Amino acid sequence: MQEQHQRAILHLDLDAFYASVEQRDNPVLRGRPVIVGGDPQGRGVVATASYEARRFGVHSAQPCRQALQLCPDAVFLRPRFEVYRAISQQIQAIYRRYTPLVEPLALDEVYLDITSIVGEDLAAAAQIARAIKQEIVEQTQLTASAGVSYNKMLAKVASAHQKPNGLTVITPQQASAFLDALPVGKIFGVGEVTEAKFKDLGIFYGRELRQLSLERLQELFGKRGTDLYRFVRGEDNRPVEPERERKSVGQETTFERDTMDREEMLAVLEHLTEQVAQRLAELEIAGKTITLKVRWHDFQLVTRSKSVATPLGDVQAMMWCLRPLLGQLLAANRPVHLLGVTVSNLMPQSGSGGRELVQTPSLWGPADEEVSEL
Ligand code: TTP
Ligand code: MG
């Protein structure tokens, strides 16, 4: 496969991160199904499940109630973000001893560019991955899965290939065969909706996706079609970007079918907001501005923002802002294709965590609105 910028990239991803930490810290939980997330009697979702629980079909983002039905013997635990954050920092210190080019994607997931150490020699890169995995186990008693390849996308595909505790190398010679057999949902940039669209077209694996011409992909997915065309050919020139300064935390989702159903939209908004709140808590930050993004059925984009005096961290406060913003936009009476929530104007969280942040509406400033059409 052709690649303009040949690099040596590692992707490391801790195995069942939150659940493994809980099992590490409480030996009684080892070998048992453990689910970290919300209240199984309430409306929370699964953050992660130990591999023992995954065997029952439990997975991230599933409602906890459903997880309880699938796996009644599971131990349900609330996340301990402070602990996960401390471990994440401990592990990042290991990475930084190898290279300053460390790009964290999540608390347990990272890209490293080690080209300056090994050049294009992926076998040497794999040795480094092995050494790093070993150091992580020694220092934290946790396992990571590593992917080694010549770009970010393939390194990430590789790390997911043999989980848990895996180490997979994808060389330029192997890339084509790997991508042929890859389910389209695993290709970078393919979410559930795109995956469903491909299934309708009878496209399940990379080898089928590669049959589509650039023009056809652009017709189907616009600019993203170009990226998909490149990715499925193993081409990805995105550099590893260390310590980007974070300007916002956001989540968005596309509806399988464009909708005008307000209740459905509110449920989706609440789910997105939960994910944003969790990410803010992980990063120990909160933000003073919340933005609702709506893409209409005709792909026009509209955003509405509200700024508040006390930084937003918890779901209730965010939903309090979002409901009226949604109400204003829905007055347009147009089918909605996508909803997104972003918190910006970020600052360190005061106190011990956003979940305890108390918001009272009277503290909030006036709404500022902005409409942008694409
Ligand atoms: P992942 O790396 O996606 O999952 P994982 O580490 O639990 O399992 P594995 O990598 O072995 O498949 O996410 C890392 C942590 O992020 C996870 O332990 C919990 C948290 N998380 C959520 O809170 N919600 C989610 O929807 C996901 C996917 C992860
Ligand atoms: Mg992980």
Side-chain angles (χ1 to χ4, degrees):
M1 294 233 145
Q2 286 297 308
E3 179 66 14
Q4 283 165 287
H5 300 283
Q6 198 82 250
R7 305 186 178 102
I9 308 291
L10 306 187
H11 179 262
L12 288 122
D13 185 341
L14 278 282
D15 301 315
F17 182 45
Y18 297 177
S20 303
V21 171
E22 299 307 329
Q23 289 178 320
R24 176 194 81 167
D25 291 352
N26 184 356
V28 171
L29 300 175
R30 292 181 199 162
R32 296 193 54 186
V34 172
I35 295 172
V36 180
D39 178 2
Q41 315 297 342
R43 284 156 51 93
V45 295
V46 174
T48 196
S50 70
Y51 279 77
E52 293 84 356
R54 291 183 197 195
R55 265 176 234 131
F56 293 84
V58 177
H59 59 80
S60 296
Q62 190 173 52
C64 287
R65 270 194 206 149
Q66 192 184 344
L68 178 64
Q69 279 168 4
L70 289 168
C71 187
D73 292 334
V75 179
F76 281 82
L77 300 169
R78 290 310 175 90
R80 295 184 298 153
F81 293 117
E82 335 70 68
V83 177
Y84 311 144
R85 255 192 314 265
I87 295 170
S88 179
Q89 279 166 11
Q90 195 184 356
I91 295 173
Q92 282 185 27
I94 298 175
Y95 300 146
R96 289 204 169 82
R97 285 211 304 279
Y98 288 84
T99 174
L101 293 179
V102 177
E103 179 181 336
L105 298 178
L107 280 184
D108 78 324
E109 207 184 317
V110 77
Y111 287 115
L112 308 185
D113 184 333
I114 55 167
T115 315
S116 64
I117 314 174
V118 298
E120 294 178 14
D121 183 348
L122 296 185
Q127 287 300 339
I128 291 189
R130 204 165 283 125
I132 290 176
K133 272 162 57 75
Q134 184 61 30
E135 276 192 58
I136 293 173
V137 169
E138 280 164 12
Q139 287 197 28
T140 68
Q141 292 89 54
L142 297 169
T143 62
S145 294
V148 181
S149 195
Y150 57 91
N151 65 34
K152 283 165 93 168
M153 179 208 48
L154 286 166
K156 193 167 160 106
V157 166
S159 77
H161 187 63
Q162 301 178 68
K163 257 188 166 291
N165 202 13
L167 171 60
T168 305
V169 181
I170 303 181
T171 63
Q173 295 73 31
Q174 294 166 327
S176 192
F178 250 96
L179 290 162
D180 273 351
L182 195 67
V184 286
K186 299 271 171 71
I187 292 171
F188 181 81
V190 177
E192 276 172 41
V193 171
T194 308
E195 191 181 0
K197 211 160 165 179
F198 277 135
K199 290 211 165 125
D200 287 344
L201 295 164
I203 291 168
F204 298 91
Y205 293 98
R207 76 172 75 82
E208 291 150 353
L209 175 51
R210 207 179 302 148
Q211 303 304 315
L212 296 187
S213 67
L214 179 58
E215 293 69 32
R216 179 81 178 114
L217 276 166
Q218 286 170 338
E219 197 180 293
L220 286 165
F221 302 107
K223 192 192 156 298
R224 275 185 46 231
T226 316
D227 293 335
L228 290 173
Y229 183 86
R230 293 205 181 112
F231 288 152
V232 78
R233 283 164 179 73
E235 293 167 20
D236 173 14
N237 289 331
R238 291 172 301 151
V240 170
E241 294 179 287
E243 289 158 26
R244 284 168 300 176
E245 206 199 323
R246 184 176 285 283
K247 294 273 190 321
S248 66
V249 173
Q251 240 344 304
E252 61 183 46
T253 195
T254 308
F255 288 96
E256 242 161 88
R257 271 200 204 92
D258 297 348
T259 182
M260 291 181 70
D261 180 344
R262 191 192 165 87
E263 290 309 310
E264 184 185 6
M265 288 188 234
L266 280 172
V268 163
L269 267 191
E270 188 155 340
H271 185 61
L272 292 172
T273 304
E274 274 162 13
Q275 291 174 305
V276 171
Q278 173 163 343
R279 193 79 190 109
L280 289 169
E282 284 181 359
L283 295 164
E284 282 188 298
I285 49 180
K288 285 192 173 180
T289 302
I290 188 159
T291 302
L292 172 66
K293 170 168 150 186
V294 170
R295 198 183 280 287
W296 305 113
H297 63 117
D298 59 1
F299 295 101
Q300 280 198 7
L301 188 72
V302 185
T303 60
R304 287 282 151 105
S305 300
K306 182 171 177 69
S307 293
V308 296
T310 313
L312 296 161
D314 71 304
V315 175
Q316 279 78 21
M318 287 191 233
M319 285 304 292
W320 188 286
C321 297
L322 290 171
R323 267 188 216 102
L325 296 180
L326 183 71
Q328 289 167 21
L329 288 175
L330 292 191
N333 240 344
R334 303 165 75 181
V336 170
H337 181 65
L338 169 149
L339 282 178
V341 176
T342 302
V343 172
S344 56
N345 224 333
L346 301 174
M347 56 204 63
Q349 226 163 52
S350 52
S352 60
R355 274 140 207 282
E356 283 82 48
L357 265 184
V358 179
Q359 292 285 331
T360 49
S362 59
L363 290 175
W364 297 355
D368 50 270
E369 290 173 8
E370 167 199 330
V371 179
S372 64
E373 308 267 337
L374 280 189

